Amino acid sequence: DQQVKQNSPSLSVQEGRISILNCDYTNSMFDYFLWYKKYPAEGPTFLISISSIKDKNEDGRFTVFLNKSAKHLSLHIVPSQPGDSAVYFCAASGAGTASKLTFGTGTRLQVTL
Amino acid sequence: DTAVSQTPKYLVTQMGNDKSIKCEQNLGHDTMYWYKQDSKKFLKIMFSYNNKELIINETVPNRFSPKSPDKAHLNLHINSLELGDSAVYFCASSQDLGVYQETQYFGPGTRLLVL
């Protein structure tokens, strides 16, 4: 039972354009959402997060949007840079399971010149 | 000056063997985790320890036994290895437990291949 889904396994975007990565979840108990970035042969690194009391969180070029009614979140990267090429994982946690992160399967982003 | 380190990075072994993966964090964190990323790229939590106490055990076979000698270390011992144990195992740590805004910091992973 996959509670966090990233339906696009890969995405290719030109440098300077916007990258939009999507994530859907099924568990209505999730109330905190995170994005992690992973380079080959490295562990995931935290990128940005959002609490369910917000619908948007911005950090530099990265913005996460949360639509609770649709159980959907997205990560926007503007402008995209070649160094952003990596696998992006969406993760979620719920009240009472504070440390337990449920991850999606990741989306591989390639930013082309 | 690695924050979360794992040894070994690669591990190739035969079915039925017993192996250990070590994890150390120098961040002064209280909580450590083991995750498994299988061939389908699912990254799933296996265990978490807080101050050397087991907090999360996600119905992992009892062939897997985590051991935390101190707050900075969480080792994973696997008995009677099976083909399905082949995966990438990630160790992670966070400052605290119960404060879900805490970022988890991951190690580089250990790639285990069981032949």
Side-chain angles (χ1 to χ4, degrees), chain A residues 58-107:
Chain A
E58 191 173 350
D59 183 2
R61 297 186 296 114
F62 302 91
T63 303
V64 56
F65 295 92
L66 175 63
N67 182 335
K68 287 190 293 295
S69 61
K71 293 191 177 69
H72 176 85
L73 63 155
S74 61
L75 174 68
H76 293 210
I77 307 173
V78 181
S80 301
Q81 298 175 354
D84 296 329
S85 297
V87 177
Y88 290 78
F89 289 96
C90 173
S93 68
T97 61
S99 303
K100 181 182 169 183
L101 294 179
T102 300
F103 282 85
T105 51
T107 296

mmCIF file of all heavy atoms in Angstrom, chain A residues 58-107:
data_model
loop_
_atom_site.group_PDB
_atom_site.id
_atom_site.type_symbol
_atom_site.label_atom_id
_atom_site.label_comp_id
_atom_site.label_asym_id
_atom_site.label_seq_id
_atom_site.Cartn_x
_atom_site.Cartn_y
_atom_site.Cartn_z
ATOM 1 N N GLU A 58 8.373 28.768 0.890
ATOM 2 C CA GLU A 58 9.351 29.169 -0.118
ATOM 3 C C GLU A 58 10.726 29.283 0.509
ATOM 4 O O GLU A 58 10.878 29.804 1.618
ATOM 5 C CB GLU A 58 8.922 30.517 -0.702
ATOM 6 C CG GLU A 58 9.659 30.960 -1.928
ATOM 7 C CD GLU A 58 9.046 32.218 -2.541
ATOM 8 O OE1 GLU A 58 7.940 32.609 -2.108
ATOM 9 O OE2 GLU A 58 9.668 32.796 -3.436
ATOM 10 N N ASP A 59 11.721 28.813 -0.216
ATOM 11 C CA ASP A 59 13.099 28.933 0.239
ATOM 12 C C ASP A 59 13.972 29.126 -0.987
ATOM 13 O O ASP A 59 14.348 28.165 -1.666
ATOM 14 C CB ASP A 59 13.516 27.676 1.004
ATOM 15 C CG ASP A 59 14.923 27.782 1.576
ATOM 16 O OD1 ASP A 59 15.572 28.844 1.408
ATOM 17 O OD2 ASP A 59 15.397 26.807 2.191
ATOM 18 N N GLY A 60 14.271 30.379 -1.261
ATOM 19 C CA GLY A 60 15.100 30.678 -2.431
ATOM 20 C C GLY A 60 14.417 30.257 -3.714
ATOM 21 O O GLY A 60 13.294 30.677 -3.998
ATOM 22 N N ARG A 61 15.083 29.428 -4.491
ATOM 23 C CA ARG A 61 14.522 28.985 -5.768
ATOM 24 C C ARG A 61 13.481 27.888 -5.605
ATOM 25 O O ARG A 61 12.845 27.480 -6.584
ATOM 26 C CB ARG A 61 15.650 28.469 -6.667
ATOM 27 C CG ARG A 61 16.689 29.527 -7.041
ATOM 28 C CD ARG A 61 17.696 28.984 -8.057
ATOM 29 N NE ARG A 61 18.480 27.882 -7.502
ATOM 30 C CZ ARG A 61 18.411 26.639 -7.951
ATOM 31 N NH1 ARG A 61 17.596 26.322 -8.937
ATOM 32 N NH2 ARG A 61 19.170 25.695 -7.418
ATOM 33 N N PHE A 62 13.312 27.390 -4.389
ATOM 34 C CA PHE A 62 12.444 26.240 -4.143
ATOM 35 C C PHE A 62 11.164 26.665 -3.422
ATOM 36 O O PHE A 62 11.217 27.375 -2.420
ATOM 37 C CB PHE A 62 13.177 25.191 -3.309
ATOM 38 C CG PHE A 62 14.451 24.703 -3.939
ATOM 39 C CD1 PHE A 62 15.669 25.321 -3.664
ATOM 40 C CD2 PHE A 62 14.438 23.644 -4.833
ATOM 41 C CE1 PHE A 62 16.841 24.885 -4.257
ATOM 42 C CE2 PHE A 62 15.606 23.200 -5.428
ATOM 43 C CZ PHE A 62 16.811 23.826 -5.147
ATOM 44 N N THR A 63 10.041 26.226 -3.962
ATOM 45 C CA THR A 63 8.753 26.494 -3.340
ATOM 46 C C THR A 63 7.953 25.195 -3.315
ATOM 47 O O THR A 63 7.880 24.491 -4.334
ATOM 48 C CB THR A 63 7.957 27.556 -4.118
ATOM 49 O OG1 THR A 63 8.735 28.752 -4.206
ATOM 50 C CG2 THR A 63 6.644 27.869 -3.411
ATOM 51 N N VAL A 64 7.372 24.901 -2.167
ATOM 52 C CA VAL A 64 6.505 23.738 -2.072
ATOM 53 C C VAL A 64 5.073 24.229 -1.866
ATOM 54 O O VAL A 64 4.820 25.144 -1.063
ATOM 55 C CB VAL A 64 6.953 22.766 -0.961
ATOM 56 C CG1 VAL A 64 7.053 23.444 0.380
ATOM 57 C CG2 VAL A 64 6.034 21.560 -0.891
ATOM 58 N N PHE A 65 4.170 23.665 -2.615
ATOM 59 C CA PHE A 65 2.746 23.974 -2.522
ATOM 60 C C PHE A 65 2.001 22.742 -2.011
ATOM 61 O O PHE A 65 2.279 21.624 -2.451
ATOM 62 C CB PHE A 65 2.182 24.355 -3.900
ATOM 63 C CG PHE A 65 2.760 25.618 -4.465
ATOM 64 C CD1 PHE A 65 3.883 25.583 -5.293
ATOM 65 C CD2 PHE A 65 2.177 26.849 -4.177
ATOM 66 C CE1 PHE A 65 4.417 26.745 -5.821
ATOM 67 C CE2 PHE A 65 2.715 28.019 -4.707
ATOM 68 C CZ PHE A 65 3.837 27.967 -5.518
ATOM 69 N N LEU A 66 1.064 22.975 -1.110
ATOM 70 C CA LEU A 66 0.270 21.881 -0.561
ATOM 71 C C LEU A 66 -1.209 22.136 -0.799
ATOM 72 O O LEU A 66 -1.731 23.181 -0.439
ATOM 73 C CB LEU A 66 0.540 21.726 0.945
ATOM 74 C CG LEU A 66 -0.302 20.691 1.681
ATOM 75 C CD1 LEU A 66 -0.031 19.285 1.132
ATOM 76 C CD2 LEU A 66 -0.010 20.746 3.180
ATOM 77 N N ASN A 67 -1.874 21.167 -1.392
ATOM 78 C CA ASN A 67 -3.326 21.212 -1.586
ATOM 79 C C ASN A 67 -3.928 20.053 -0.792
ATOM 80 O O ASN A 67 -3.954 18.908 -1.259
ATOM 81 C CB ASN A 67 -3.654 21.086 -3.083
ATOM 82 C CG ASN A 67 -5.145 21.175 -3.355
ATOM 83 O OD1 ASN A 67 -5.974 20.870 -2.494
ATOM 84 N ND2 ASN A 67 -5.501 21.587 -4.558
ATOM 85 N N LYS A 68 -4.377 20.369 0.415
ATOM 86 C CA LYS A 68 -4.823 19.302 1.323
ATOM 87 C C LYS A 68 -6.078 18.613 0.799
ATOM 88 O O LYS A 68 -6.236 17.403 0.948
ATOM 89 C CB LYS A 68 -5.090 19.874 2.718
ATOM 90 C CG LYS A 68 -3.813 20.221 3.461
ATOM 91 C CD LYS A 68 -4.110 20.558 4.915
ATOM 92 C CE LYS A 68 -4.902 21.832 5.067
ATOM 93 N NZ LYS A 68 -4.137 23.021 4.621
ATOM 94 N N SER A 69 -6.972 19.366 0.215
ATOM 95 C CA SER A 69 -8.215 18.762 -0.248
ATOM 96 C C SER A 69 -7.957 17.750 -1.353
ATOM 97 O O SER A 69 -8.642 16.731 -1.462
ATOM 98 C CB SER A 69 -9.191 19.841 -0.727
ATOM 99 O OG SER A 69 -8.626 20.555 -1.804
ATOM 100 N N ALA A 70 -6.924 18.014 -2.161
ATOM 101 C CA ALA A 70 -6.579 17.098 -3.248
ATOM 102 C C ALA A 70 -5.522 16.093 -2.814
ATOM 103 O O ALA A 70 -5.149 15.207 -3.595
ATOM 104 C CB ALA A 70 -6.078 17.887 -4.460
ATOM 105 N N LYS A 71 -5.027 16.244 -1.600
ATOM 106 C CA LYS A 71 -3.936 15.402 -1.101
ATOM 107 C C LYS A 71 -2.772 15.409 -2.101
ATOM 108 O O LYS A 71 -2.302 14.352 -2.562
ATOM 109 C CB LYS A 71 -4.412 13.976 -0.822
ATOM 110 C CG LYS A 71 -5.402 13.860 0.327
ATOM 111 C CD LYS A 71 -5.614 12.397 0.713
ATOM 112 C CE LYS A 71 -6.538 12.282 1.911
ATOM 113 N NZ LYS A 71 -7.912 12.656 1.576
ATOM 114 N N HIS A 72 -2.357 16.599 -2.422
ATOM 115 C CA HIS A 72 -1.346 16.773 -3.463
ATOM 116 C C HIS A 72 -0.364 17.852 -3.039
ATOM 117 O O HIS A 72 -0.760 18.893 -2.481
ATOM 118 C CB HIS A 72 -2.029 17.176 -4.773
ATOM 119 C CG HIS A 72 -1.074 17.470 -5.876
ATOM 120 N ND1 HIS A 72 -0.540 16.489 -6.689
ATOM 121 C CD2 HIS A 72 -0.539 18.634 -6.321
ATOM 122 C CE1 HIS A 72 0.274 17.032 -7.566
ATOM 123 N NE2 HIS A 72 0.291 18.342 -7.373
ATOM 124 N N LEU A 73 0.902 17.603 -3.298
ATOM 125 C CA LEU A 73 1.877 18.661 -3.121
ATOM 126 C C LEU A 73 2.807 18.685 -4.321
ATOM 127 O O LEU A 73 2.935 17.692 -5.049
ATOM 128 C CB LEU A 73 2.664 18.536 -1.812
ATOM 129 C CG LEU A 73 3.566 17.350 -1.535
ATOM 130 C CD1 LEU A 73 4.642 17.763 -0.545
ATOM 131 C CD2 LEU A 73 2.789 16.208 -0.933
ATOM 132 N N SER A 74 3.406 19.830 -4.501
ATOM 133 C CA SER A 74 4.328 19.980 -5.623
ATOM 134 C C SER A 74 5.528 20.806 -5.191
ATOM 135 O O SER A 74 5.432 21.640 -4.281
ATOM 136 C CB SER A 74 3.627 20.621 -6.831
ATOM 137 O OG SER A 74 3.147 21.908 -6.497
ATOM 138 N N LEU A 75 6.623 20.544 -5.853
ATOM 139 C CA LEU A 75 7.863 21.289 -5.637
ATOM 140 C C LEU A 75 8.172 22.043 -6.917
ATOM 141 O O LEU A 75 8.250 21.437 -7.993
ATOM 142 C CB LEU A 75 9.011 20.332 -5.297
ATOM 143 C CG LEU A 75 10.402 20.961 -5.183
ATOM 144 C CD1 LEU A 75 10.475 21.878 -3.959
ATOM 145 C CD2 LEU A 75 11.478 19.870 -5.101
ATOM 146 N N HIS A 76 8.331 23.365 -6.790
ATOM 147 C CA HIS A 76 8.693 24.191 -7.922
ATOM 148 C C HIS A 76 10.130 24.665 -7.755
ATOM 149 O O HIS A 76 10.500 25.154 -6.673
ATOM 150 C CB HIS A 76 7.765 25.412 -8.031
ATOM 151 C CG HIS A 76 6.356 25.054 -8.377
ATOM 152 N ND1 HIS A 76 5.539 25.914 -9.095
ATOM 153 C CD2 HIS A 76 5.623 23.945 -8.144
ATOM 154 C CE1 HIS A 76 4.359 25.341 -9.268
ATOM 155 N NE2 HIS A 76 4.383 24.151 -8.705
ATOM 156 N N ILE A 77 10.898 24.538 -8.808
ATOM 157 C CA ILE A 77 12.277 25.025 -8.803
ATOM 158 C C ILE A 77 12.382 26.054 -9.922
ATOM 159 O O ILE A 77 12.184 25.741 -11.095
ATOM 160 C CB ILE A 77 13.277 23.874 -9.053
ATOM 161 C CG1 ILE A 77 13.039 22.722 -8.070
ATOM 162 C CG2 ILE A 77 14.709 24.391 -8.916
ATOM 163 C CD1 ILE A 77 13.883 21.484 -8.362
ATOM 164 N N VAL A 78 12.673 27.299 -9.513
ATOM 165 C CA VAL A 78 12.763 28.378 -10.493
ATOM 166 C C VAL A 78 13.931 29.313 -10.144
ATOM 167 O O VAL A 78 13.959 29.842 -9.037
ATOM 168 C CB VAL A 78 11.465 29.227 -10.521
ATOM 169 C CG1 VAL A 78 11.571 30.323 -11.570
ATOM 170 C CG2 VAL A 78 10.248 28.345 -10.770
ATOM 171 N N PRO A 79 14.847 29.586 -11.068
ATOM 172 C CA PRO A 79 15.035 28.888 -12.325
ATOM 173 C C PRO A 79 15.790 27.587 -12.101
ATOM 174 O O PRO A 79 16.601 27.475 -11.179
ATOM 175 C CB PRO A 79 15.885 29.874 -13.131
ATOM 176 C CG PRO A 79 16.702 30.573 -12.083
ATOM 177 C CD PRO A 79 15.827 30.663 -10.857
ATOM 178 N N SER A 80 15.568 26.615 -12.935
ATOM 179 C CA SER A 80 16.271 25.344 -12.806
ATOM 180 C C SER A 80 17.728 25.499 -13.251
ATOM 181 O O SER A 80 18.028 26.232 -14.201
ATOM 182 C CB SER A 80 15.590 24.274 -13.673
ATOM 183 O OG SER A 80 14.245 24.105 -13.282
ATOM 184 N N GLN A 81 18.600 24.789 -12.543
ATOM 185 C CA GLN A 81 20.030 24.843 -12.851
ATOM 186 C C GLN A 81 20.545 23.415 -13.059
ATOM 187 O O GLN A 81 19.991 22.472 -12.488
ATOM 188 C CB GLN A 81 20.789 25.506 -11.694
ATOM 189 C CG GLN A 81 20.381 26.939 -11.429
ATOM 190 C CD GLN A 81 21.051 27.523 -10.207
ATOM 191 O OE1 GLN A 81 21.759 26.831 -9.469
ATOM 192 N NE2 GLN A 81 20.816 28.813 -9.972
ATOM 193 N N PRO A 82 21.618 23.263 -13.828
ATOM 194 C CA PRO A 82 22.150 21.908 -14.049
ATOM 195 C C PRO A 82 22.457 21.152 -12.759
ATOM 196 O O PRO A 82 22.272 19.943 -12.679
ATOM 197 C CB PRO A 82 23.418 22.170 -14.880
ATOM 198 C CG PRO A 82 23.126 23.443 -15.605
ATOM 199 C CD PRO A 82 22.311 24.274 -14.636
ATOM 200 N N GLY A 83 22.889 21.874 -11.736
ATOM 201 C CA GLY A 83 23.185 21.247 -10.439
ATOM 202 C C GLY A 83 21.967 20.712 -9.729
ATOM 203 O O GLY A 83 22.089 19.989 -8.736
ATOM 204 N N ASP A 84 20.784 21.063 -10.230
ATOM 205 C CA ASP A 84 19.549 20.541 -9.644
ATOM 206 C C ASP A 84 19.250 19.125 -10.135
ATOM 207 O O ASP A 84 18.346 18.476 -9.614
ATOM 208 C CB ASP A 84 18.360 21.443 -10.000
ATOM 209 C CG ASP A 84 18.477 22.834 -9.417
ATOM 210 O OD1 ASP A 84 19.080 22.984 -8.335
ATOM 211 O OD2 ASP A 84 17.977 23.794 -10.060
ATOM 212 N N SER A 85 19.987 18.669 -11.108
ATOM 213 C CA SER A 85 19.764 17.323 -11.640
ATOM 214 C C SER A 85 20.039 16.295 -10.537
ATOM 215 O O SER A 85 21.162 16.187 -10.035
ATOM 216 C CB SER A 85 20.680 17.066 -12.842
ATOM 217 O OG SER A 85 20.375 17.949 -13.893
ATOM 218 N N ALA A 86 19.014 15.564 -10.182
ATOM 219 C CA ALA A 86 19.087 14.632 -9.054
ATOM 220 C C ALA A 86 17.762 13.876 -8.990
ATOM 221 O O ALA A 86 16.859 14.129 -9.787
ATOM 222 C CB ALA A 86 19.322 15.380 -7.747
ATOM 223 N N VAL A 87 17.657 12.981 -8.029
ATOM 224 C CA VAL A 87 16.366 12.335 -7.753
ATOM 225 C C VAL A 87 15.732 13.052 -6.566
ATOM 226 O O VAL A 87 16.399 13.306 -5.553
ATOM 227 C CB VAL A 87 16.534 10.838 -7.433
ATOM 228 C CG1 VAL A 87 15.183 10.217 -7.077
ATOM 229 C CG2 VAL A 87 17.154 10.109 -8.621
ATOM 230 N N TYR A 88 14.467 13.410 -6.712
ATOM 231 C CA TYR A 88 13.749 14.119 -5.669
ATOM 232 C C TYR A 88 12.703 13.199 -5.048
ATOM 233 O O TYR A 88 11.857 12.633 -5.746
ATOM 234 C CB TYR A 88 13.077 15.375 -6.240
ATOM 235 C CG TYR A 88 14.087 16.430 -6.610
ATOM 236 C CD1 TYR A 88 14.827 16.332 -7.791
ATOM 237 C CD2 TYR A 88 14.350 17.505 -5.766
ATOM 238 C CE1 TYR A 88 15.783 17.272 -8.114
ATOM 239 C CE2 TYR A 88 15.297 18.460 -6.089
ATOM 240 C CZ TYR A 88 16.011 18.330 -7.268
ATOM 241 O OH TYR A 88 16.971 19.273 -7.585
ATOM 242 N N PHE A 89 12.782 13.074 -3.726
ATOM 243 C CA PHE A 89 11.845 12.243 -2.992
ATOM 244 C C PHE A 89 10.895 13.130 -2.194
ATOM 245 O O PHE A 89 11.320 14.042 -1.491
ATOM 246 C CB PHE A 89 12.579 11.323 -2.012
ATOM 247 C CG PHE A 89 13.346 10.211 -2.664
ATOM 248 C CD1 PHE A 89 14.702 10.346 -2.927
ATOM 249 C CD2 PHE A 89 12.714 9.025 -3.002
ATOM 250 C CE1 PHE A 89 15.418 9.307 -3.525
ATOM 251 C CE2 PHE A 89 13.422 7.985 -3.592
ATOM 252 C CZ PHE A 89 14.774 8.136 -3.857
ATOM 253 N N CYS A 90 9.651 12.811 -2.282
ATOM 254 C CA CYS A 90 8.621 13.395 -1.443
ATOM 255 C C CYS A 90 8.469 12.484 -0.226
ATOM 256 O O CYS A 90 8.570 11.252 -0.345
ATOM 257 C CB CYS A 90 7.332 13.446 -2.271
ATOM 258 S SG CYS A 90 5.866 13.948 -1.390
ATOM 259 N N ALA A 91 8.254 13.071 0.944
ATOM 260 C CA ALA A 91 8.067 12.269 2.151
ATOM 261 C C ALA A 91 6.991 12.916 3.015
ATOM 262 O O ALA A 91 6.756 14.125 2.930
ATOM 263 C CB ALA A 91 9.377 12.144 2.932
ATOM 264 N N ALA A 92 6.368 12.106 3.851
ATOM 265 C CA ALA A 92 5.294 12.608 4.703
ATOM 266 C C ALA A 92 5.359 11.951 6.064
ATOM 267 O O ALA A 92 5.845 10.824 6.205
ATOM 268 C CB ALA A 92 3.940 12.331 4.048
ATOM 269 N N SER A 93 4.883 12.675 7.060
ATOM 270 C CA SER A 93 4.756 12.098 8.399
ATOM 271 C C SER A 93 3.452 12.576 9.012
ATOM 272 O O SER A 93 2.874 13.580 8.584
ATOM 273 C CB SER A 93 5.936 12.472 9.293
ATOM 274 O OG SER A 93 5.922 13.849 9.596
ATOM 275 N N GLY A 94 2.994 11.853 10.022
ATOM 276 C CA GLY A 94 1.710 12.173 10.624
ATOM 277 C C GLY A 94 1.818 12.349 12.115
ATOM 278 O O GLY A 94 2.776 11.906 12.739
ATOM 279 N N ALA A 95 0.835 12.975 12.690
ATOM 280 C CA ALA A 95 0.774 13.181 14.137
ATOM 281 C C ALA A 95 0.809 11.830 14.834
ATOM 282 O O ALA A 95 0.134 10.887 14.426
ATOM 283 C CB ALA A 95 -0.513 13.915 14.490
ATOM 284 N N GLY A 96 1.645 11.752 15.855
ATOM 285 C CA GLY A 96 1.757 10.491 16.576
ATOM 286 C C GLY A 96 2.798 9.558 15.993
ATOM 287 O O GLY A 96 3.158 8.564 16.600
ATOM 288 N N THR A 97 3.246 9.874 14.823
ATOM 289 C CA THR A 97 4.315 9.066 14.207
ATOM 290 C C THR A 97 5.425 10.015 13.792
ATOM 291 O O THR A 97 5.932 9.970 12.689
ATOM 292 C CB THR A 97 3.810 8.295 12.981
ATOM 293 O OG1 THR A 97 3.361 9.229 11.998
ATOM 294 C CG2 THR A 97 2.694 7.345 13.330
ATOM 295 N N ALA A 98 5.772 10.864 14.712
ATOM 296 C CA ALA A 98 6.552 12.039 14.396
ATOM 297 C C ALA A 98 7.793 11.772 13.565
ATOM 298 O O ALA A 98 8.072 12.476 12.616
ATOM 299 C CB ALA A 98 6.944 12.742 15.685
ATOM 300 N N SER A 99 8.537 10.743 13.943
ATOM 301 C CA SER A 99 9.796 10.541 13.238
ATOM 302 C C SER A 99 9.657 9.639 12.039
ATOM 303 O O SER A 99 10.601 9.470 11.299
ATOM 304 C CB SER A 99 10.818 9.910 14.170
ATOM 305 O OG SER A 99 11.001 10.675 15.295
ATOM 306 N N LYS A 100 8.506 9.043 11.866
ATOM 307 C CA LYS A 100 8.398 8.045 10.817
ATOM 308 C C LYS A 100 8.034 8.718 9.502
ATOM 309 O O LYS A 100 6.946 9.248 9.342
ATOM 310 C CB LYS A 100 7.320 7.023 11.183
ATOM 311 C CG LYS A 100 7.153 5.932 10.155
ATOM 312 C CD LYS A 100 6.050 4.996 10.549
ATOM 313 C CE LYS A 100 5.705 4.060 9.404
ATOM 314 N NZ LYS A 100 4.572 3.183 9.748
ATOM 315 N N LEU A 101 8.989 8.729 8.615
ATOM 316 C CA LEU A 101 8.769 9.313 7.298
ATOM 317 C C LEU A 101 8.364 8.225 6.316
ATOM 318 O O LEU A 101 8.979 7.167 6.265
ATOM 319 C CB LEU A 101 10.039 9.990 6.795
ATOM 320 C CG LEU A 101 10.522 11.228 7.554
ATOM 321 C CD1 LEU A 101 11.808 11.768 6.945
ATOM 322 C CD2 LEU A 101 9.450 12.304 7.540
ATOM 323 N N THR A 102 7.330 8.522 5.545
ATOM 324 C CA THR A 102 6.925 7.643 4.455
ATOM 325 C C THR A 102 7.324 8.320 3.162
ATOM 326 O O THR A 102 6.899 9.451 2.893
ATOM 327 C CB THR A 102 5.407 7.393 4.490
ATOM 328 O OG1 THR A 102 5.065 6.783 5.730
ATOM 329 C CG2 THR A 102 5.002 6.462 3.354
ATOM 330 N N PHE A 103 8.135 7.630 2.369
ATOM 331 C CA PHE A 103 8.699 8.218 1.159
ATOM 332 C C PHE A 103 7.965 7.757 -0.083
ATOM 333 O O PHE A 103 7.433 6.645 -0.157
ATOM 334 C CB PHE A 103 10.164 7.811 1.011
ATOM 335 C CG PHE A 103 11.120 8.568 1.892
ATOM 336 C CD1 PHE A 103 11.350 8.175 3.190
ATOM 337 C CD2 PHE A 103 11.805 9.682 1.400
ATOM 338 C CE1 PHE A 103 12.228 8.867 4.005
ATOM 339 C CE2 PHE A 103 12.697 10.378 2.206
ATOM 340 C CZ PHE A 103 12.909 9.972 3.508
ATOM 341 N N GLY A 104 7.985 8.632 -1.098
ATOM 342 C CA GLY A 104 7.602 8.234 -2.441
ATOM 343 C C GLY A 104 8.786 7.567 -3.127
ATOM 344 O O GLY A 104 9.863 7.443 -2.545
ATOM 345 N N THR A 105 8.585 7.144 -4.364
ATOM 346 C CA THR A 105 9.635 6.420 -5.083
ATOM 347 C C THR A 105 10.591 7.328 -5.828
ATOM 348 O O THR A 105 11.553 6.860 -6.420
ATOM 349 C CB THR A 105 9.029 5.417 -6.078
ATOM 350 O OG1 THR A 105 8.070 6.102 -6.873
ATOM 351 C CG2 THR A 105 8.374 4.263 -5.353
ATOM 352 N N GLY A 106 10.337 8.612 -5.796
ATOM 353 C CA GLY A 106 11.289 9.552 -6.367
ATOM 354 C C GLY A 106 11.002 9.916 -7.812
ATOM 355 O O GLY A 106 10.406 9.153 -8.574
ATOM 356 N N THR A 107 11.430 11.109 -8.188
ATOM 357 C CA THR A 107 11.383 11.586 -9.573
ATOM 358 C C THR A 107 12.778 12.038 -9.944
ATOM 359 O O THR A 107 13.379 12.855 -9.242
ATOM 360 C CB THR A 107 10.406 12.760 -9.740
ATOM 361 O OG1 THR A 107 9.075 12.332 -9.463
ATOM 362 C CG2 THR A 107 10.475 13.323 -11.171
#
